[in-house]
Coordinates of all heavy atoms in Angstrom, one line a residue:
M557 N -16.9 -7.2 -10.8 CA -16.8 -5.8 -11.0 C -18.1 -5.0 -11.4 O -19.0 -5.8 -11.9 CB -15.8 -5.6 -12.3 CG -14.4 -5.8 -11.9 SD -13.4 -4.9 -12.9 CE -12.3 -6.2 -13.6
T558 N -18.1 -3.9 -11.0 CA -19.4 -3.0 -11.4 C -19.4 -2.8 -12.8 O -18.4 -2.5 -13.6 CB -19.5 -1.8 -10.5 OG1 -18.4 -0.9 -10.9 CG2 -19.4 -2.1 -9.1
T559 N -20.6 -2.6 -13.4 CA -20.8 -2.1 -14.7 C -21.1 -0.6 -14.7 O -21.1 0.0 -15.8 CB -21.8 -2.9 -15.4 OG1 -23.0 -2.8 -14.7 CG2 -21.5 -4.3 -15.6
Q560 N -21.5 -0.1 -13.5 CA -21.8 1.3 -13.6 C -20.7 2.1 -12.9 O -20.1 1.7 -12.0 CB -23.1 1.5 -12.5 CG -23.6 2.8 -12.4 CD -24.8 2.7 -11.4 OE1 -25.1 1.7 -10.6 NE2 -25.6 3.9 -11.3
Q561 N -20.4 3.2 -13.6 CA -19.3 4.0 -13.1 C -19.7 4.7 -11.8 O -20.9 5.4 -11.7 CB -18.9 5.1 -14.1 CG -17.8 5.9 -13.9 CD -16.6 5.2 -13.9 OE1 -16.4 4.0 -14.5 NE2 -15.5 5.7 -13.3
L562 N -18.9 4.5 -10.8 CA -19.1 5.3 -9.5 C -18.6 6.6 -9.5 O -17.6 6.9 -10.3 CB -18.4 4.5 -8.5 CG -18.9 3.0 -8.2 CD1 -18.0 2.3 -7.2 CD2 -20.3 3.0 -7.6
P563 N -19.1 7.6 -8.8 CA -18.7 8.9 -8.7 C -17.3 8.9 -8.2 O -16.9 8.1 -7.3 CB -19.7 9.7 -7.8 CG -20.3 8.7 -7.1 CD -20.3 7.4 -7.9
A564 N -16.6 9.8 -8.6 CA -15.2 10.1 -8.2 C -15.2 10.4 -6.6 O -16.1 11.0 -6.2 CB -14.4 11.1 -8.8
P565 N -14.2 9.8 -5.9 CA -14.3 10.2 -4.4 C -13.9 11.7 -4.1 O -13.2 12.2 -4.9 CB -13.3 9.3 -3.8 CG -12.3 8.9 -4.9 CD -13.1 8.9 -6.1
T566 N -14.4 12.1 -3.1 CA -14.0 13.5 -2.6 C -12.6 13.4 -2.1 O -12.1 12.3 -1.8 CB -15.0 14.0 -1.5 OG1 -14.8 13.2 -0.4 CG2 -16.5 14.1 -2.1
A567 N -12.1 14.5 -1.8 CA -10.7 14.6 -1.3 C -10.7 14.0 0.1 O -9.7 13.2 0.4 CB -10.1 16.0 -1.2
D568 N -11.7 14.2 0.9 CA -11.7 13.5 2.4 C -12.0 12.0 2.0 O -11.4 11.2 2.8 CB -13.0 14.0 3.0 CG -12.7 15.5 3.6 OD1 -11.5 15.9 3.6 OD2 -13.8 16.2 3.9
Q569 N -12.7 11.6 1.2 CA -12.9 10.2 0.9 C -11.6 9.4 0.4 O -11.3 8.4 0.8 CB -14.1 9.9 -0.1 CG -15.4 10.2 0.5 CD -16.5 10.1 -0.6 OE1 -16.2 10.5 -1.8 NE2 -17.8 9.8 -0.2
L570 N -10.9 10.1 -0.5 CA -9.7 9.6 -0.9 C -8.7 9.5 0.2 O -7.9 8.6 0.3 CB -9.2 10.6 -2.0 CG -7.9 10.1 -2.8 CD1 -8.0 8.6 -3.2 CD2 -7.5 11.0 -3.8
G571 N -8.6 10.7 1.0 CA -7.6 10.6 2.0 C -7.9 9.5 3.1 O -7.0 8.8 3.6
E572 N -9.2 9.2 3.3 CA -9.6 8.2 4.3 C -9.3 6.8 3.6 O -8.7 6.0 4.3 CB -11.1 8.2 4.5 CG -11.5 7.2 5.6 CD -13.0 7.4 5.9 OE1 -13.6 8.6 5.8 OE2 -13.7 6.4 6.3
A573 N -9.5 6.7 2.3 CA -9.2 5.4 1.7 C -7.7 5.0 1.7 O -7.2 4.0 2.1 CB -9.7 5.4 0.2
V574 N -6.9 6.1 1.4 CA -5.5 5.9 1.4 C -4.9 5.6 2.7 O -4.1 4.8 2.9 CB -4.8 7.3 0.9 CG1 -3.3 7.3 1.1 CG2 -5.0 7.3 -0.7
G575 N -5.5 6.3 3.8 CA -5.1 6.0 5.2 C -5.3 4.6 5.5 O -4.6 3.8 6.2
K576 N -6.5 4.1 5.2 CA -7.0 2.8 5.5 C -6.2 1.8 4.9 O -5.7 0.7 5.4 CB -8.4 2.5 5.3 CG -9.4 3.2 6.2 CD -10.8 2.9 5.8 CE -11.8 3.5 6.8 NZ -13.3 3.3 6.5
I577 N -5.9 2.0 3.5 CA -5.0 1.1 2.7 C -3.7 1.0 3.4 O -3.1 -0.1 3.6 CB -4.9 1.5 1.2 CG1 -6.3 1.4 0.6 CG2 -3.9 0.7 0.4 CD1 -6.5 2.2 -0.7
A578 N -3.0 2.0 3.7 CA -1.7 2.1 4.4 C -1.7 1.4 5.7 O -0.9 0.6 6.0 CB -1.2 3.5 4.5
A579 N -2.6 1.6 6.6 CA -2.8 1.0 7.9 C -3.0 -0.5 7.7 O -2.3 -1.4 8.4 CB -4.0 1.6 8.7
L580 N -3.9 -1.0 6.8 CA -4.2 -2.3 6.6 C -3.0 -3.1 6.1 O -2.7 -4.3 6.4 CB -5.5 -2.6 5.9 CG -6.8 -2.2 6.6 CD1 -7.9 -2.2 5.6 CD2 -6.9 -3.0 7.8
A581 N -2.3 -2.5 5.0 CA -1.1 -3.1 4.5 C 0.0 -3.3 5.6 O 0.5 -4.4 5.7 CB -0.5 -2.2 3.4
A582 N 0.2 -2.3 6.4 CA 1.2 -2.4 7.5 C 0.7 -3.4 8.4 O 1.5 -4.3 9.0 CB 1.3 -1.1 8.2
L583 N -0.5 -3.5 8.9 CA -1.0 -4.4 9.9 C -0.9 -5.9 9.2 O -0.5 -6.8 9.9 CB -2.4 -4.1 10.2 CG -3.1 -5.0 11.3 CD1 -2.2 -4.9 12.6 CD2 -4.5 -4.6 11.6
S584 N -1.2 -6.1 8.0 CA -1.1 -7.4 7.4 C 0.3 -7.8 7.3 O 0.6 -9.0 7.7 CB -1.6 -7.2 5.9 OG -1.5 -8.5 5.2
L585 N 1.3 -7.0 7.0 CA 2.6 -7.4 7.0 C 3.1 -7.7 8.4 O 3.8 -8.8 8.6 CB 3.6 -6.3 6.4 CG 3.8 -6.3 4.9 CD1 4.4 -5.1 4.5 CD2 4.5 -7.4 4.5
H586 N 2.8 -7.0 9.4 CA 3.2 -7.2 10.8 C 2.6 -8.5 11.3 O 3.3 -9.3 12.0 CB 2.7 -6.1 11.7 CG 3.0 -6.3 13.0 ND1 4.3 -6.3 13.5 CD2 2.2 -6.5 14.2 CE1 4.2 -6.5 14.9 NE2 3.0 -6.5 15.2
E587 N 1.3 -8.7 10.9 CA 0.7 -10.0 11.3 C 1.4 -11.2 10.7 O 1.5 -12.3 11.4 CB -0.8 -10.1 11.0 CG -1.6 -9.1 12.0 CD -3.1 -9.1 11.6 OE1 -3.5 -9.6 10.5 OE2 -3.8 -8.4 12.4
S588 N 1.7 -11.2 9.5 CA 2.5 -12.2 8.8 C 3.9 -12.4 9.2 O 4.5 -13.4 9.2 CB 2.5 -12.0 7.3 OG 1.1 -12.0 6.8
F589 N 4.5 -11.3 9.6 CA 5.9 -11.2 10.0 C 6.1 -10.4 11.2 O 6.4 -9.2 11.3 CB 6.8 -10.6 8.9 CG 6.7 -11.4 7.5 CD1 5.8 -10.7 6.4 CD2 7.3 -12.5 7.3 CE1 5.7 -11.5 5.3 CE2 7.1 -13.1 6.0 CZ 6.4 -12.7 5.0
P590 N 5.8 -11.0 12.4 CA 5.7 -10.3 13.6 C 7.0 -9.5 14.0 O 7.1 -8.6 14.9 CB 5.4 -11.3 14.7 CG 4.8 -12.4 14.0 CD 5.3 -12.3 12.5
H591 N 8.1 -10.0 13.5 CA 9.4 -9.3 13.8 C 9.5 -7.9 13.1 O 10.4 -7.1 13.6 CB 10.6 -10.2 13.3 CG 10.6 -10.3 11.8 ND1 9.9 -11.2 11.1 CD2 11.4 -9.7 11.0 CE1 10.2 -11.2 9.8 NE2 11.1 -10.3 9.6
L592 N 8.7 -7.6 12.2 CA 8.6 -6.3 11.6 C 7.9 -5.4 12.5 O 6.9 -5.6 13.0 CB 7.9 -6.3 10.2 CG 8.6 -7.2 9.1 CD1 7.7 -7.3 7.9 CD2 9.9 -6.6 8.7
N593 N 8.5 -4.2 12.6 CA 8.0 -3.2 13.7 C 6.7 -2.4 13.0 O 6.9 -1.9 11.9 CB 9.0 -2.1 13.9 CG 8.5 -1.1 14.9 OD1 7.9 -0.1 14.4 ND2 9.0 -1.3 16.2
L594 N 5.5 -2.6 13.7 CA 4.4 -2.1 13.1 C 4.4 -0.6 12.9 O 4.0 0.0 11.9 CB 3.1 -2.5 13.9 CG 1.8 -2.0 13.5 CD1 1.5 -2.4 12.1 CD2 0.7 -2.4 14.5
D595 N 5.0 0.2 13.9 CA 5.1 1.6 13.8 C 6.0 2.0 12.7 O 5.7 3.0 11.9 CB 5.7 2.2 15.1 CG 4.7 2.1 16.2 OD1 3.4 2.0 16.0 OD2 5.1 2.1 17.4
G596 N 7.0 1.2 12.5 CA 8.0 1.6 11.3 C 7.4 1.4 10.0 O 7.5 2.1 9.1
L597 N 6.5 0.2 10.0 CA 5.7 0.0 8.7 C 4.8 1.2 8.4 O 4.7 1.6 7.2 CB 5.0 -1.4 8.8 CG 6.0 -2.6 8.8 CD1 5.1 -3.8 9.1 CD2 6.6 -2.7 7.3
V598 N 4.0 1.5 9.4 CA 3.1 2.6 9.2 C 3.8 3.9 8.8 O 3.3 4.6 7.9 CB 2.2 2.9 10.4 CG1 1.3 4.1 10.4 CG2 1.3 1.6 10.8
E599 N 4.9 4.1 9.4 CA 5.7 5.4 9.1 C 6.1 5.3 7.7 O 6.0 6.4 7.0 CB 6.9 5.5 10.0 CG 7.6 6.8 9.8 CD 8.7 6.8 10.7 OE1 8.5 6.7 12.0 OE2 9.9 7.4 10.4
T600 N 6.6 4.2 7.2 CA 7.0 4.1 5.8 C 5.8 4.2 4.9 O 6.0 4.9 3.9 CB 7.6 2.6 5.6 OG1 8.8 2.5 6.5 CG2 8.0 2.4 4.2
F601 N 4.6 3.6 5.2 CA 3.6 3.7 4.3 C 2.7 4.9 4.3 O 1.9 5.1 3.4 CB 2.6 2.4 4.6 CG 3.2 1.1 4.4 CD1 2.5 -0.1 4.8 CD2 4.4 1.0 3.6 CE1 3.1 -1.3 4.5 CE2 4.8 -0.4 3.3 CZ 4.2 -1.5 3.8
I602 N 3.0 5.9 5.2 CA 2.4 7.1 5.1 C 3.3 8.2 4.7 O 2.9 9.4 4.6 CB 1.7 7.5 6.5 CG1 2.8 7.7 7.6 CG2 0.6 6.6 6.8 CD1 2.3 8.2 8.8
R603 N 4.5 7.9 4.2 CA 5.4 9.0 3.5 C 4.7 9.4 2.2 O 3.9 8.7 1.6 CB 6.8 8.2 3.1 CG 7.6 7.9 4.3 CD 8.9 7.5 4.1 NE 9.6 7.2 5.2 CZ 10.6 6.2 5.4 NH1 10.8 5.5 4.4 NH2 11.2 6.0 6.5
D604 N 5.1 10.6 1.8 CA 4.5 11.2 0.7 C 4.5 10.3 -0.6 O 3.6 10.2 -1.3 CB 5.2 12.5 0.3 CG 4.8 13.6 1.3 OD1 3.8 13.5 2.0 OD2 5.4 14.7 1.3
S605 N 5.8 9.7 -0.8 CA 5.9 8.8 -2.0 C 4.9 7.7 -1.8 O 4.3 7.2 -3.0 CB 7.3 8.4 -2.2 OG 7.7 7.6 -1.0
A606 N 4.6 7.1 -0.8 CA 3.7 6.0 -0.6 C 2.4 6.3 -0.8 O 1.5 5.7 -1.5 CB 3.9 5.2 0.8
T607 N 2.0 7.4 0.0 CA 0.6 7.8 -0.2 C 0.2 8.4 -1.6 O -0.9 8.1 -2.1 CB 0.2 9.0 0.8 OG1 1.0 10.1 0.6 CG2 0.3 8.4 2.3
T608 N 1.2 8.9 -2.4 CA 0.9 9.3 -3.7 C 0.8 8.0 -4.6 O -0.2 8.0 -5.4 CB 2.2 10.1 -4.3 OG1 2.2 11.3 -3.5 CG2 2.0 10.5 -5.8
M609 N 1.5 7.0 -4.3 CA 1.4 5.8 -5.0 C 0.1 5.2 -4.8 O -0.7 4.6 -5.7 CB 2.6 4.8 -4.7 CG 2.6 3.6 -5.6 SD 1.6 2.1 -5.2 CE 2.6 1.6 -3.8
I610 N -0.4 5.1 -3.5 CA -1.6 4.4 -3.1 C -2.7 5.3 -3.7 O -3.5 4.5 -4.4 CB -1.7 4.4 -1.6 CG1 -0.7 3.5 -0.9 CG2 -3.1 4.0 -1.2 CD1 -0.6 3.7 0.6
A611 N -2.7 6.5 -3.7 CA -3.9 7.2 -4.2 C -3.9 7.0 -5.8 O -5.1 6.9 -6.3 CB -3.7 8.7 -4.0
A612 N -2.8 7.0 -6.5 CA -2.8 6.9 -7.9 C -3.3 5.4 -8.3 O -4.1 5.3 -9.2 CB -1.5 7.0 -8.5
R613 N -2.9 4.5 -7.6 CA -3.3 3.1 -7.8 C -4.8 2.9 -7.6 O -5.6 2.3 -8.3 CB -2.5 2.1 -7.0 CG -1.1 2.0 -7.4 CD -0.9 1.2 -8.8 NE 0.5 1.1 -9.1 CZ 1.1 0.0 -9.3 NH1 0.5 -1.2 -9.2 NH2 2.4 0.0 -9.7
Y614 N -5.2 3.5 -6.4 CA -6.6 3.4 -6.0 C -7.5 4.0 -7.1 O -8.5 3.6 -7.5 CB -6.8 4.0 -4.6 CG -8.3 4.0 -4.1 CD1 -8.9 2.8 -3.8 CD2 -8.9 5.2 -4.0 CE1 -10.2 2.8 -3.2 CE2 -10.2 5.2 -3.5 CZ -10.9 4.0 -3.1 OH -12.2 4.0 -2.7
L615 N -7.2 5.3 -7.4 CA -8.0 6.1 -8.5 C -8.1 5.3 -9.8 O -9.0 5.3 -10.5 CB -7.5 7.4 -8.5 CG -7.8 8.3 -7.3 CD1 -7.1 9.6 -7.5 CD2 -9.3 8.5 -7.1
A616 N -6.9 4.8 -10.2 CA -6.8 4.0 -11.4 C -7.8 2.8 -11.4 O -8.4 2.5 -12.3 CB -5.3 3.6 -11.7
G617 N -7.7 2.2 -10.3 CA -8.6 1.0 -10.1 C -10.1 1.4 -10.2 O -10.9 0.7 -11.0
L618 N -10.4 2.6 -9.6 CA -11.9 3.1 -9.8 C -12.2 3.4 -11.2 O -13.2 3.1 -11.7 CB -12.0 4.2 -8.9 CG -12.0 4.0 -7.3 CD1 -12.1 5.2 -6.5 CD2 -13.0 3.0 -6.9
D619 N -11.2 4.0 -11.9 CA -11.3 4.3 -13.3 C -11.5 3.1 -14.2 O -12.2 3.2 -15.2 CB -10.1 5.2 -13.8 CG -10.2 6.6 -13.2 OD1 -11.3 7.1 -12.7 OD2 -9.1 7.3 -13.4
E620 N -10.9 2.0 -13.8 CA -11.0 0.7 -14.5 C -12.3 0.0 -14.3 O -12.6 -0.9 -14.8 CB -9.8 -0.2 -14.1 CG -8.5 0.3 -14.6 CD -7.3 -0.5 -13.9 OE1 -7.6 -1.4 -13.2 OE2 -6.3 0.0 -14.2
G621 N -13.1 0.6 -13.4 CA -14.4 0.0 -13.0 C -14.5 -1.0 -11.9 O -15.5 -1.6 -11.7
K622 N -13.3 -1.0 -11.2 CA -13.3 -1.8 -10.0 C -14.1 -1.2 -8.8 O -14.3 0.0 -8.8 CB -11.9 -2.0 -9.4 CG -10.9 -2.8 -10.4 CD -9.6 -2.8 -9.9 CE -8.6 -3.6 -10.8 NZ -7.3 -3.7 -10.4
T623 N -14.6 -2.0 -8.0 CA -15.3 -1.5 -6.9 C -14.3 -0.8 -5.9 O -13.0 -1.0 -6.1 CB -16.0 -2.7 -6.0 OG1 -15.0 -3.5 -5.5 CG2 -17.0 -3.4 -6.9
P624 N -14.8 0.1 -5.0 CA -13.7 0.6 -4.1 C -13.0 -0.5 -3.3 O -11.8 -0.2 -3.1 CB -14.7 1.4 -3.1 CG -15.8 1.9 -3.9 CD -16.1 0.7 -4.9
A625 N -13.6 -1.5 -2.9 CA -12.9 -2.7 -2.2 C -11.9 -3.3 -3.2 O -10.7 -3.5 -2.6 CB -13.9 -3.7 -1.7
E626 N -12.2 -3.5 -4.3 CA -11.2 -4.1 -5.3 C -10.1 -3.1 -5.6 O -8.9 -3.7 -5.6 CB -12.0 -4.4 -6.7 CG -12.9 -5.6 -6.5 CD -13.8 -5.8 -7.6 OE1 -14.1 -4.7 -8.4 OE2 -14.2 -6.9 -7.9
A627 N -10.4 -1.8 -5.7 CA -9.4 -0.9 -6.0 C -8.4 -0.8 -4.8 O -7.2 -0.6 -5.0 CB -10.0 0.4 -6.3
A628 N -9.0 -0.8 -3.6 CA -8.3 -0.7 -2.4 C -7.3 -1.9 -2.2 O -6.1 -1.8 -1.9 CB -9.0 -0.7 -1.2
G629 N -7.8 -3.1 -2.5 CA -7.1 -4.4 -2.5 C -5.9 -4.3 -3.4 O -4.7 -4.7 -3.0
A630 N -6.2 -3.9 -4.6 CA -5.1 -3.7 -5.7 C -4.0 -2.8 -5.2 O -2.8 -3.1 -5.4 CB -5.6 -3.4 -7.0
A631 N -4.4 -1.6 -4.8 CA -3.5 -0.6 -4.3 C -2.7 -1.0 -3.1 O -1.4 -0.9 -3.1 CB -4.1 0.7 -3.9
G632 N -3.3 -1.8 -2.1 CA -2.5 -2.3 -1.0 C -1.6 -3.5 -1.4 O -0.4 -3.4 -1.0
T633 N -1.9 -4.3 -2.3 CA -1.0 -5.3 -2.9 C 0.1 -4.7 -3.6 O 1.3 -5.2 -3.4 CB -1.8 -6.2 -3.8 OG1 -2.9 -6.8 -3.1 CG2 -0.9 -7.2 -4.3
A634 N 0.0 -3.6 -4.4 CA 1.0 -3.0 -5.1 C 1.9 -2.3 -4.0 O 3.1 -2.3 -4.2 CB 0.4 -1.9 -6.1
L635 N 1.4 -1.7 -3.0 CA 2.2 -1.1 -2.0 C 3.1 -2.2 -1.3 O 4.4 -1.9 -1.1 CB 1.4 -0.5 -0.9 CG 2.0 0.1 0.3 CD1 3.0 1.3 -0.1 CD2 1.0 0.6 1.3
I636 N 2.5 -3.3 -0.9 CA 3.4 -4.3 -0.3 C 4.5 -4.9 -1.2 O 5.5 -5.1 -0.8 CB 2.5 -5.5 0.3 CG1 1.6 -4.9 1.4 CG2 3.2 -6.7 0.7 CD1 0.5 -5.9 1.9
R637 N 4.1 -5.0 -2.5 CA 5.1 -5.5 -3.4 C 6.1 -4.6 -3.6 O 7.3 -4.9 -3.6 CB 4.3 -5.8 -4.7 CG 3.6 -7.2 -4.7 CD 3.0 -7.6 -6.0 NE 2.4 -8.8 -5.8 CZ 1.4 -9.2 -6.4 NH1 0.8 -8.3 -7.4 NH2 0.8 -10.4 -6.3
A638 N 5.9 -3.2 -3.7 CA 6.9 -2.2 -3.9 C 7.7 -2.2 -2.7 O 9.1 -2.1 -2.9 CB 6.3 -0.8 -4.2
W639 N 7.2 -2.3 -1.4 CA 7.9 -2.3 -0.3 C 9.0 -3.4 -0.2 O 10.1 -3.3 0.1 CB 7.0 -2.3 0.9 CG 7.7 -2.4 2.3 CD1 8.2 -1.5 3.0 CD2 8.0 -3.8 2.9 NE1 8.8 -2.1 4.1 CE2 8.7 -3.4 4.1 CE3 7.7 -5.1 2.6 CZ2 9.0 -4.4 5.0 CZ3 8.0 -5.9 3.6 CH2 8.7 -5.7 4.6
A640 N 8.4 -4.7 -0.6 CA 9.3 -5.9 -0.5 C 10.3 -5.7 -1.5 O 11.5 -6.3 -1.3 CB 8.3 -7.1 -0.8
D641 N 10.0 -5.2 -2.9 CA 11.1 -5.1 -3.9 C 12.2 -4.2 -3.3 O 13.4 -4.5 -3.5 CB 10.6 -4.6 -5.1 CG 9.6 -5.6 -5.8 OD1 9.7 -6.8 -5.4 OD2 8.9 -5.3 -6.7
A642 N 11.8 -3.0 -2.7 CA 12.7 -2.1 -2.1 C 13.6 -2.8 -1.1 O 14.9 -2.5 -0.9 CB 12.1 -0.9 -1.8
R643 N 13.0 -3.5 -0.2 CA 13.7 -4.1 0.9 C 14.6 -5.1 0.4 O 15.7 -5.3 0.9 CB 12.7 -4.7 1.9 CG 13.2 -5.2 3.1 CD 12.1 -5.7 4.1 NE 12.7 -6.5 5.1 CZ 12.6 -6.2 6.5 NH1 12.2 -5.1 6.8 NH2 13.2 -6.9 7.3
N644 N 14.2 -6.0 -0.5 CA 15.1 -6.9 -1.1 C 16.3 -6.3 -1.8 O 17.4 -6.8 -1.8 CB 14.3 -7.9 -1.9 CG 13.4 -8.8 -1.3 OD1 13.5 -9.1 -0.1 ND2 12.3 -9.3 -2.0
A645 N 16.0 -5.2 -2.6 CA 17.2 -4.5 -3.3 C 18.1 -4.0 -2.2 O 19.3 -4.1 -2.5 CB 16.6 -3.5 -4.1
A646 N 17.7 -3.4 -1.2 CA 18.5 -2.8 -0.1 C 19.4 -4.0 0.5 O 20.6 -3.8 0.7 CB 17.7 -2.1 0.9
R647 N 18.7 -5.1 0.7 CA 19.5 -6.2 1.4 C 20.5 -6.7 0.4 O 21.6 -7.1 0.8 CB 18.4 -7.3 1.7 CG 19.1 -8.4 2.5 CD 19.3 -8.0 3.9 NE 20.7 -8.7 4.3 CZ 21.2 -8.6 5.4 NH1 20.5 -7.9 6.3 NH2 22.3 -9.1 5.6
A648 N 20.2 -6.8 -0.8 CA 21.2 -7.4 -1.8 C 22.4 -6.3 -1.9 O 23.5 -6.8 -2.1 CB 20.5 -7.5 -3.2
Q649 N 22.1 -5.1 -1.9 CA 23.1 -4.1 -1.9 C 24.0 -4.2 -0.7 O 25.3 -4.2 -0.8 CB 22.5 -2.7 -2.1 CG 23.5 -1.6 -2.3 CD 22.9 -0.2 -2.5 OE1 21.7 0.0 -2.2 NE2 23.5 0.6 -3.3
L650 N 23.3 -4.4 0.4 CA 24.1 -4.5 1.7 C 25.0 -5.7 1.6 O 26.2 -5.7 2.0 CB 23.2 -4.5 2.9 CG 23.8 -4.6 4.2 CD1 24.8 -3.4 4.5 CD2 22.7 -4.8 5.3
D651 N 24.4 -6.9 1.2 CA 25.2 -8.2 1.1 C 26.4 -8.0 0.1 O 27.5 -8.5 0.4 CB 24.3 -9.3 0.7 CG 23.2 -9.6 1.7 OD1 23.4 -9.3 2.9 OD2 22.3 -10.3 1.4
A652 N 26.2 -7.3 -1.0 CA 27.2 -7.1 -2.0 C 28.4 -6.2 -1.4 O 29.7 -6.4 -1.6 CB 26.7 -6.4 -3.2
A653 N 27.9 -5.2 -0.6 CA 29.0 -4.3 0.0 C 29.7 -5.0 1.1 O 31.0 -4.7 1.2 CB 28.3 -3.1 0.6
T654 N 29.1 -6.1 1.8 CA 29.9 -6.7 2.8 C 30.6 -7.9 2.4 O 31.4 -8.6 3.2 CB 28.9 -7.0 4.0 OG1 27.8 -7.9 3.6 CG2 28.4 -5.8 4.6
A655 N 30.4 -8.4 1.1 CA 31.1 -9.5 0.6 C 32.4 -9.3 0.3 O 33.0 -8.2 0.1 CB 30.3 -10.2 -0.6

């Protein structure tokens, strides 16, 4: 971790970081699970709620003194975990409804 506080990203830099995090998270999931539709993952990860979460996590990581790469990794990991939790909850609800 850095000991020096980095300047806050500009709006353009934040938007670029959020877009890269969403794209890399979608690509990572697709590579690990090729049956998942890449376009669908990207569409999910660029929804307002997802980009808001990514931006908040990324900025929080920067505020904690993480490097931009560390903050991006943490935000991407949080995005994938939230997606997986939502998918598992939806699957459990569907299974319960059909049981």
Side-chain angles (χ1 to χ4, degrees):
M557 284 208 233
T558 63
T559 56
Q560 183 179 12
Q561 187 68 21
L562 298 170
T566 65
D568 286 344
Q569 290 169 331
L570 180 59
E572 185 176 330
V574 168
K576 284 182 181 179
I577 294 165
L580 290 173
L583 187 58
S584 177
L585 274 173
H586 176 69
E587 287 175 353
S588 297
F589 304 100
H591 66 281
L592 297 174
N593 180 280
L594 181 58
D595 291 337
L597 288 169
V598 170
E599 184 178 317
T600 297
F601 291 169
I602 61 171
R603 289 185 180 145
D604 286 344
S605 58
T607 58
T608 299
M609 189 274 286
I610 295 168
R613 294 287 181 118
Y614 179 71
L615 291 173
L618 294 177
D619 285 344
E620 293 166 3
K622 293 180 180 173
T623 66
E626 291 169 333
T633 299
L635 175 65
I636 291 172
R637 286 189 175 142
W639 172 86
D641 288 347
R643 186 173 167 118
N644 287 337
R647 183 72 219 182
Q649 189 175 24
L650 179 63
D651 289 346
T654 58

